[in-house]
Amino acid sequence: MTTIALFGAGGKMGYRLSTNFRGSDYTIRHVEVSEAGCERLKTGLGFDAVGADEALKGADVVILAVPDTHIGKVAASIESKLAAGTMVVVLDAAAPFAGHLPDRPDLTYFVTHPCHPPIFNDETDMAAKKDFFGGVKAKQHFVSALMQGPEADYAKGEAIARIIWAPVMRSHRVTVEQMALLEPGLSETVCASLLVVMKEAMDEVVARGVERQAALDFLLGHMNVLGAVIFGETKGVFSDACNKAIEFGKPVLMRDDWKRVFEPEEIAASIQRIT
């Protein structure tokens, strides 16, 4: 049976993983340094936290479910205790991309991240509909990268990722560099920024006299139908008026060189800021 040392087991992300690993074929050793996290593990799941040394003894896999800003420090603190061939799983591409993992060619580095439940889905259960993050009730896709290590280790890491992000649908294999394009590039720098702008635009029409609920209902409904057409979820075309509005609106809202956010140096700078 594969033994996993789960660091940050009582934290926001770690607790999700601790929950999903219950009843799995893995032996989990929960590592948590905060009193609140230890209490959460004990009260919520009935698990006792153990020390890092105890957790790492004979562990086949180490999962670092800690914030990006702490991954380098935690990894450095346990490096000397990791046997050759140990798999280190990281849940975001930022720290690996930035070079914060130890220079240990004899270790396997596996990086995985959720896509989160898609806007267009087939969920009918209300609890699944309200599981916006995923990993509880709603089905989601995920991406993974074998940063270094034997090719055979990809299947081993993917099997663990399927439990971490369960319930899951599609599993996508990418490189760490491609994962960095997806996040922070696509999902945060572009998508999150534009969504914030959309919220500010809604606030502006409310400030100009439109009742807030009416503005919210109008915006979210149009996001649904416009998104379905744009991303090919349904057959349809925009009206001439809508196409004209896009033709005028896009250059007003977007700089001509906005795609430079995907250039390697821009991605590297963005990751540097968050790690």
Side-chain angles (χ1 to χ4, degrees):
M1 185 175 288
T2 300
T3 298
I4 298 176
L6 175 55
F7 281 71
K12 183 178 179 181
M13 181 58 73
Y15 189 85
R16 288 175 172 270
L17 271 61
S18 297
T19 301
N20 281 4
F21 274 121
R22 290 183 303 176
S24 72
D25 292 332
Y26 298 94
T27 296
I28 309 299
R29 297 172 182 167
H30 304 85
V31 181
E32 177 57 53
V33 297
S34 75
E35 290 186 13
C38 291
E39 179 62 27
R40 190 179 302 117
L41 277 174
K42 185 65 174 178
T43 303
L45 300 175
F47 297 142
D48 290 314
V50 299
D53 289 349
E54 182 180 347
L56 291 172
K57 197 173 301 181
D60 306 291
V61 178
V62 176
I63 300 179
L64 301 180
V66 299
D68 291 333
T69 51
H70 293 114
I71 285 178
K73 184 183 297 183
V74 173
S77 71
I78 65 175
E79 177 189 357
S80 63
K81 303 164 188 173
L82 299 180
T86 302
M87 173 180 285
V88 178
V89 177
V90 183
L91 308 179
D92 189 280
F97 183 92
H100 294 324
L101 295 180
D103 183 13
R104 284 279 304 275
D106 60 333
L107 300 177
T108 291
Y109 290 154
F110 187 87
V111 188
T112 184
H113 196 78
C115 296
H116 302 300
I119 293 174
F120 307 114
N121 59 68
D122 61 357
E123 303 292 359
T124 57
D125 178 67
M126 187 53 66
K129 282 180 172 291
K130 292 294 184 180
D131 180 17
F132 301 115
F133 187 91
V136 180
K137 294 288 186 179
K139 299 184 293 293
Q140 64 178 335
H141 314 295
F142 67 96
V143 296
S144 302
L146 181 63
M147 184 175 180
Q148 68 176 45
E151 176 59 28
D153 276 355
Y154 181 82
K156 178 180 176 180
E158 185 185 42
I160 293 172
R162 285 186 176 276
I163 294 177
I164 289 174
W165 311 126
V168 300
M169 295 180 283
R170 287 188 292 271
S171 167
H172 301 283
R173 183 170 184 174
V174 297
T175 65
V176 170
E177 291 74 20
Q178 289 170 339
M179 200 181 295
L181 285 171
L182 295 173
E183 185 167 307
L186 181 62
S187 62
E188 296 175 341
T189 305
V190 176
C191 184
S193 297
L194 293 179
L195 286 170
V196 168
V197 170
M198 291 167 66
K199 169 60 166 55
E200 292 176 354
M202 187 196 76
D203 292 340
E204 181 63 21
V205 301
V206 170
R208 291 171 181 265
V210 179
E211 192 267 327
R212 186 183 186 280
Q213 192 61 58
L216 180 61
D217 291 345
F218 203 83
L219 176 60
L220 294 182
H222 278 75
M223 286 172 64
N224 187 46
V225 66
L226 294 173
V229 173
I230 290 171
F231 289 101
E233 288 292 323
T234 187
K235 292 182 178 179
V237 294
F238 293 154
S239 66
D240 289 342
C242 182
N243 285 325
K244 282 291 185 183
I246 295 171
E247 182 182 351
F248 170 79
K250 188 176 175 182
V252 171
L253 297 171
M254 305 295 293
R255 294 172 48 144
D256 290 341
D257 64 344
W258 71 267
K259 290 183 182 178
R260 66 184 173 83
V261 299
F262 293 110
E263 293 298 327
E265 62 272 16
E266 292 289 342
I267 293 290
S270 178
I271 287 177
Q272 189 64 38
R273 289 191 290 270
I274 63 176
T275 58

